[in-house]
Amino acid sequence: MRYMLIHAADPELASKWDDEAQASFSSWIEETIRSGVNLQGSRLRPTTDATTVKIRDGELIITDGPFVETKEQVAGYDLLECASVDEAVRWAGRHPSSWVGAIEVRALPERAPAAPLPEPGEGKIQYLMLVCTDPAVDAREFDRIEPVDPWVADTDGRGIRLYGSELEPPGSARTVRVRDSRAIVTDGPFAETKEQIAGFDVLECADLDEAIEAARRHPMARLGVLEVRPFWPFEED
């Protein structure tokens, strides 16, 4: 079973990310790769580099910043292949992100496709696009949302979409926080907000404008909210 580990940083705990945490992070990456459970993952650029896209009454609305303002904000992700949610939770509890925020563990549907990502093409930028719900939209409206398959086929065919999947509902999420060396596991997502992450896509684009165009054409833009954030390559400081 595949699980998305959504890393959420808490700015109040940022000082805890020290040399020990960095060393533990490197060790965690190496161990998960060596164990064969880590399929893909990346840090993300700060929330100040996020762009939120939605369409309402035919008008394209683009705003700077994340889709929802909460203390803990998405800082990166990992996609793991684990035998059970308990195994995924154990890996999450060993990641230093759980010391300085929270890690939300969300299952992908069984039909999720292959996962490894290629290296970015020359002159290309990889983005994580979070597909989110909007509490301002009547839930009954989602019954008439356009199928996403044509969008997937088009972006796949043009080499823009590298990977993506819906996620199991937020109610099935587990959130892991480590405080004073004790793992605290709670049911539900990391942030108690009405807006919730429903899925994600990894895009590779020439620039932000191309990523926004892809987000604009996604069926959820008319009923939900799409947050586009560039990857933060590990070789950068």
Side-chain angles (χ1 to χ4, degrees):
M1 188 83 177
R2 289 179 181 152
Y3 297 88
M4 186 179 189
L5 271 55
I6 303 171
H7 302 271
D10 183 341
E12 295 179 5
L13 300 176
S15 61
K16 290 192 174 184
W17 191 276
D18 51 17
D19 291 343
E20 179 186 357
Q22 184 61 40
S24 295
F25 169 68
S26 299
S27 296
W28 188 92
I29 293 290
E30 292 172 1
E31 185 176 2
T32 53
I33 292 175
R34 187 171 59 251
S35 301
V37 300
N38 198 325
L39 302 178
Q40 61 172 266
S42 180
R43 295 186 299 171
L44 299 177
R45 297 290 301 179
T47 54
T48 51
D49 290 349
T51 302
T52 297
V53 179
K54 62 183 178 181
I55 295 174
R56 295 296 183 269
D57 298 323
E59 179 187 358
L60 176 63
I61 303 170
I62 301 173
T63 55
D64 293 334
F67 73 97
V68 63
E69 294 294 336
T70 64
K71 183 179 72 169
E72 294 173 318
Q73 282 290 349
V74 177
Y77 82 104
D78 283 284
L79 192 65
L80 305 186
E81 181 92 53
C82 298
S84 66
V85 66
D86 290 335
E87 182 185 355
V89 165
R90 286 195 295 272
W91 282 115
R94 295 172 59 185
H95 195 292
S97 284
S98 63
W99 312 350
V100 296
I103 298 179
E104 180 179 325
V105 179
R106 295 277 294 279
L108 277 64
E110 292 283 2
R111 63 182 181 277
L117 297 178
E119 290 295 318
E122 185 176 355
K124 297 287 188 177
I125 304 170
Q126 291 182 349
Y127 297 85
L128 182 67
M129 184 178 77
L130 297 174
V131 182
C132 312
T133 61
D134 183 351
V137 175
D138 190 326
R140 291 171 294 184
E141 292 292 307
F142 287 91
D143 292 337
R144 62 179 183 82
I145 192 170
E146 298 175 7
V148 74
D149 291 350
W151 180 89
V152 169
D154 179 63
T155 50
D156 281 355
R158 292 192 288 138
I160 292 175
R161 179 180 179 270
L162 303 181
Y163 184 76
S165 177
E166 62 186 303
L167 297 173
E168 293 295 328
S172 65
R174 303 274 188 89
T175 295
V176 183
R177 296 177 175 87
V178 175
R179 299 295 184 268
D180 298 323
S181 300
R182 184 170 69 92
I184 304 167
V185 182
T186 55
D187 292 336
F190 72 88
E192 292 298 328
T193 64
K194 293 181 179 179
E195 302 94 336
Q196 289 296 340
I197 300 169
F200 72 102
D201 293 278
V202 178
L203 309 179
E204 183 170 277
C205 303
D207 53 29
L208 178 59
D209 289 340
E210 186 176 20
I212 289 173
E213 175 62 17
R216 179 190 71 80
R217 296 174 59 249
H218 194 287
M220 274 291 284
R222 288 163 178 77
L223 296 174
V225 182
L226 302 172
E227 179 185 324
V228 178
R229 193 109 63 88
F231 283 16
W232 196 342
F234 288 105
E235 60 268 18
E236 291 186 12
D237 293 327

